[in-house]
Amino acid sequence: MMHMTFYWGKSATILFDGWRTSTWLDYLPSLVALLLAAAFYQYLEALRVRTKLIAQGAAKQASSIPPPASFNPRTPLLAPAVAGRWPARVAVAAMFGVNSALGYLLMLSVMSFNGGVFIAVVVGLALGYLAFRSDDGEDLVVVDDPCACS
């Protein structure tokens, strides 16, 4: 039976039927795995934000360089400043997709309504934030984040 309220105990089904815990030897490694996944979520978010900021800085720097003499204004897509942004934008979009998927998987694991799973994910997010995102002031940057939990 699926729980619809928080409960405490070592018996839990996390994400799918194959990930069931019934003993402490199953339950504790599952909590550690969820804690590490939540910390990894914060790492990926920090990496994505830094990559985006670096790409924006490089684009601003490249746009301040005058175009070469052979530059044709009728072909703006071939300008070095514009062409250099696409790989970075694709990389940031890919990181956003991976981070979104991981965030939703963490949310679904919390929806098992097991108290230990909830605590493991929240502690993992907090430790990941402390380790990867709390020291460089990136909170001042508005970030498009798919998960309300970070």
Side-chain angles (χ1 to χ4, degrees):
M1 180 179 157
M2 185 174 159
H3 291 272
M4 296 305 289
T5 59
F6 271 108
Y7 69 97
W8 297 93
K10 63 185 181 295
S11 297
T13 302
I14 304 168
L15 292 178
F16 48 88
D17 286 334
W19 192 355
R20 290 180 190 245
T21 63
S22 58
T23 66
W24 288 106
L25 290 175
D26 296 336
Y27 186 64
L28 292 177
S30 295
L31 295 182
V32 171
L34 289 169
L35 185 136
L36 292 174
F40 185 65
Y41 172 87
Q42 293 290 359
Y43 169 75
L44 287 179
E45 182 67 15
L47 182 65
R48 183 180 70 83
V49 169
R50 286 187 187 108
T51 303
K52 188 174 184 177
L53 291 175
I54 289 169
Q56 287 174 347
K60 286 179 185 176
Q61 183 181 17
S63 65
S64 66
I65 299 171
S70 63
F71 174 67
N72 183 353
R74 291 185 183 163
T75 58
L77 292 177
L78 300 178
V82 177
R85 283 189 268 181
W86 279 102
R89 290 180 70 187
V90 169
V92 170
M95 284 190 273
F96 179 82
V98 170
N99 206 38
S100 296
L102 183 57
Y104 284 122
L105 287 174
L106 289 170
M107 178 202 56
L108 288 171
S109 65
V110 167
M111 289 177 61
S112 69
F113 290 103
N114 183 281
V117 169
F118 175 77
I119 290 172
V121 170
V122 171
V123 168
L125 288 171
L127 290 176
Y129 180 86
L130 179 66
F132 304 116
R133 297 182 64 193
S134 67
D135 61 346
D136 56 2
E138 66 192 29
D139 288 339
L140 302 177
V141 178
V142 176
V143 178
D144 42 59
D145 192 359
C147 181
C149 61
S150 64

